[in-house]
């Protein structure tokens, strides 16, 4: 372990060491940025630090905005929260709050199980099978990242115009159709499964049909279930329980992440491309 972790200076920096080293850059930026980040006005108001909350709003909104009105609204919301009593775990897990919590956790769990991270984790394996090349996985990483970035712009443009539910429905429909196409083409043209590198029996059109389906799937996730679920969960809970509820829904997201990291390799090994029928069902 020490030989691997603490390499000699003569050994070239490559592979997983370079990847981990690259992650230090955004981590350092986040750490330094945290020193400059202002405190939350709501938190400052909850601690009775009204002048600091006002100064933060002026700093964030600008001196030309009517920040005193926003500060008064925050103050009124907190007075209503105090009037409703202290938050309790019994109320958190009962009544309408429990219904909202179940909806939010289901959304976050389904966001993982829809199949996106199956591509993110096992996409290089799928691409290697499609293009009969062990090196095509690197291309997949670049292409999927570019498509994922591009797909966030429609989300920014239309999430308020079309609404959260509409974006989620169109996103799920897009991913479902792509899953069906990929499963059908995979069964027809790549019958040997994902662990055997061989040319498709249907010709080059099968490669590009499968590739297009994967890219459209990623695009469909990027404008809907990727960002909109987080927006939805951040809005749906009352302020009294929002911190706890968002934390609980995020836990559900990571539970789904563990499942989608563990199950697809087993499914790919056993069923090959037929496992995408499962993702069709989830998106349906």
């Amino acid at each position: 372990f020490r030989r691997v972790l603490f390499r000699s200076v003569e050994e070239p920096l490559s592979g997983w060491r370079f990847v981990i080293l690259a992650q230090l850059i955004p981590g350092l930026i986040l750490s330094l940025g945290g020193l400059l980040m202002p405190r939350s006005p709501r938190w400052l108001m909850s601690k009775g630090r009204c002048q600091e909350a006002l100064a933060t709003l002026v700093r964030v909104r600008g001196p030309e905005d009517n920040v005193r009105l926003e500060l008064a609204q925050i103050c009124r919301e907190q007075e209503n929260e105090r009037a409703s009593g202290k938050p309790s775990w019994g109320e958190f897990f009962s009544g309408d709050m429990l219904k909202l919590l179940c909806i939010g956790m289901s959304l976050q769990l389904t966001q993982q199980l829809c199949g996106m991270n199956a591509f993110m984790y096992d996409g290089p394996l799928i691409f290697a099978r499609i293009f009969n090349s062990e090196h095509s996985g690197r291309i997949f990483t670049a292409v999927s990242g570019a498509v994922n970035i591009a797909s966030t712009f429609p989300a920014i443009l239309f999430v308020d115009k079309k609404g959260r539910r509409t974006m989620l429905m169109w996103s799920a429909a897009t991913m479902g159709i792509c899953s069906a196409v990929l499963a059908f083409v995979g069964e027809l043209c790549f019958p040997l499964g994902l662990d055997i590198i061989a040319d498709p029996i249907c010709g080059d059109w099968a490669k590009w049909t499968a590739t297009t389906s994967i890219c459209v799937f990623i695009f469909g996730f990027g404008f809907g279930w990727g960002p909109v679920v987080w927006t939805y969960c951040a809005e749906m809970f009352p302020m009294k329980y929002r911190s706890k509820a968002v934390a609980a829904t995020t836990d559900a997201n990571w539970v789904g992440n563990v499942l989608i990291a563990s199950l697809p390799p087993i499914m790919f090994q056993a069923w090959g491309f037929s496992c995408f029928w499962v993702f069709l069902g989830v998106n349906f």
Side-chain angles (χ1 to χ4, degrees), residues 143-213:
V143 171
S144 62
V147 173
N148 204 7
I149 292 173
S151 64
T152 59
F153 292 103
I156 295 172
L157 293 174
F158 297 114
V159 65
D160 289 326
K161 295 180 180 179
K162 300 299 182 182
R164 280 64 164 145
R165 191 181 70 142
T166 300
M167 298 290 285
L168 291 174
M169 291 173 66
W170 278 103
S171 174
T174 302
M175 292 187 292
I177 292 172
C178 292
S179 297
V181 171
L182 194 57
F184 178 78
V185 172
E187 287 183 350
L188 182 66
C189 303
F190 302 93
L192 297 179
L194 290 171
D195 55 341
I196 299 177
I197 304 297
D199 289 324
I201 63 176
C202 302
D204 287 342
W205 70 268
K207 299 179 181 179
W208 298 111
T209 300
T211 301
T212 302
S213 298

Side-chain angles (χ1 to χ4, degrees), residues 31-55:
S31 299
L32 295 177
L35 300 175
L36 304 176
M37 184 176 179
R39 295 183 181 274
S40 166
R42 293 182 182 276
W43 182 84
L44 290 170
M45 287 294 294
S46 69
K47 302 300 180 181
R49 298 157 65 173
C50 301
Q51 291 299 322
E52 292 182 54
L54 178 62

Side-chain angles (χ1 to χ4, degrees), residues 51-110:
Q51 291 299 322
E52 292 182 54
L54 178 62
T56 298
L57 286 173
V58 171
R59 176 182 172 186
V60 174
R61 302 284 187 246
E64 67 278 359
D65 288 357
N66 188 6
V67 295
R68 292 187 179 275
L69 177 60
E70 184 176 356
L71 189 67
Q73 292 173 342
I74 295 174
C75 182
R76 183 180 303 172
E77 289 177 359
Q78 293 192 346
E79 288 176 354
N80 293 336
E81 289 179 28
R82 284 191 289 269
S84 64
K86 294 183 178 181
S88 65
W89 289 107
E91 186 180 354
F92 184 67
F93 290 112
S94 62
D96 291 338
M97 186 61 220
L98 179 61
K99 296 177 184 178
L100 291 174
L101 188 62
C102 290
I103 292 173
M105 295 180 71
S106 298
L107 285 171
Q108 290 284 22
L109 186 64
T110 311

